């Protein structure tokens, strides 16, 4: 597990070093973005109700709504980019987009290669099973098939505990695998999984991970952009103060999740 994490971290840092010269020579990106009038915002598009593709092939949800509102308050339009989650930080460092507003957990490891604005909501890890599975504790997961999204923090956690894991592209696949019995349990942020399963009428049982504290989801940007970070944070703070944040949270999540 330590080797895998080291390889992953080295790959991300390598991409960062490839663009370090450009970032060092350039001024803060805020002015350039404002001149262009557009900020490119990345997410997986596979994490309902936070971000997903609707029947009209539009990326919608809480994350794009927050990102678009922040962009509007900064005098810009938001261009939504979808990409695989396991390479999303590498894409940011390679300048494929300007920010990640995709329910990314703020961790020390990630904070070494990107800067974070926020957090803009908080959640907790939870384990979900089919009713009557007999799985009600972390110990019960030993020897069971556990499903996770590739590249999420839950994957490292499960590998460290030695579980037999299968990885998938996003939450919809996880729910389908659990429903069809191809995994015995899935591990996910609690809010998204509860809402997604409730929306599709999928029965489940769950328990929270007692080994970890609640975590914050933040907006990732490239390092060395204090002016961009400050203006994005100011826009987010203003949203929370004037009721806009609560309105968006109620619309997409049904609750205040700060």
């Amino acid at each position: 597990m330590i080797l895998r994490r080291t390889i992953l971290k080295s790959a991300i840092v390598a991409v960062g070093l490839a663009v370090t010269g450009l970032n060092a020579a350039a001024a803060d990106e805020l002015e350039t973005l404002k001149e262009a009038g557009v900020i490119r915002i990345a997410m997986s598009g596979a994490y309902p109700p936070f971000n997903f593709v609707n029947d009209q092939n539009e990326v919608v949800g809480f994350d794009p709504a927050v990102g678009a509102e922040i962009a509007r308050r900064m005098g810009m339009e938001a261009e939504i980019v979808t990409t695989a989650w396991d390479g999303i930080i590498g894409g940011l460092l390679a300048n494929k987009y300007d920010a990640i507003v995709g329910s990314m957990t703020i961790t020390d490891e990630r904070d070494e290669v990107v800067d974070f604005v926020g957090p803009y909501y908080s959640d907790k890890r939870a384990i979900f099973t089919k009713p009557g599975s007999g799985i009600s504790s972390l110990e019960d997961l030993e020897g069971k098939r556990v499903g996770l999204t590739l590249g999420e923090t839950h994957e490292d956690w499960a590998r460290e505990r030695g579980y037999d894991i299968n990885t998938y592209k996003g939450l919809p696949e996880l729910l389908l695998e659990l429903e069809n019995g191809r995994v015995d349990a899935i591990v996910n942020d609690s809010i998204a999984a509860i809402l997604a399963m409730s929306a599709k009428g999928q029965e489940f049982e769950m328990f929270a991970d007692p080994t970890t504290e609640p975590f914050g989801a933040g907006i990732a940007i490239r390092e060395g952009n204090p002016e961009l970070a400050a203006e994005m944070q100011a826009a987010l703070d203003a949203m929370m103060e004037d009721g806009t944040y609560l309105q968006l949270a109620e619309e997409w999540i049904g609750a205040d999740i700060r």
Side-chain angles (χ1 to χ4, degrees), residues 98-120:
D98 307 304
I100 300 170
V101 189
S103 295
M104 176 171 282
T105 302
I106 300 171
T107 67
D108 292 339
E109 184 179 8
R110 287 170 173 163
D111 199 36
E112 291 180 8
V113 292
V114 300
D115 286 338
F116 282 103
V117 174
Y120 65 102

Side-chain angles (χ1 to χ4, degrees), residues 116-139:
F116 282 103
V117 174
Y120 65 102
Y121 77 85
S122 60
D123 201 354
K124 198 174 193 310
R125 176 182 295 127
I127 294 82
F128 298 84
T129 64
K130 296 175 75 170
S133 69
I135 299 173
S136 58
S137 70
L138 298 183
E139 289 70 27

Side-chain angles (χ1 to χ4, degrees), residues 9-28:
K9 183 175 177 181
S10 297
I12 293 174
V13 171
V15 176
L17 289 175
V19 296
T20 296
L22 293 175
N23 287 342
D28 192 289

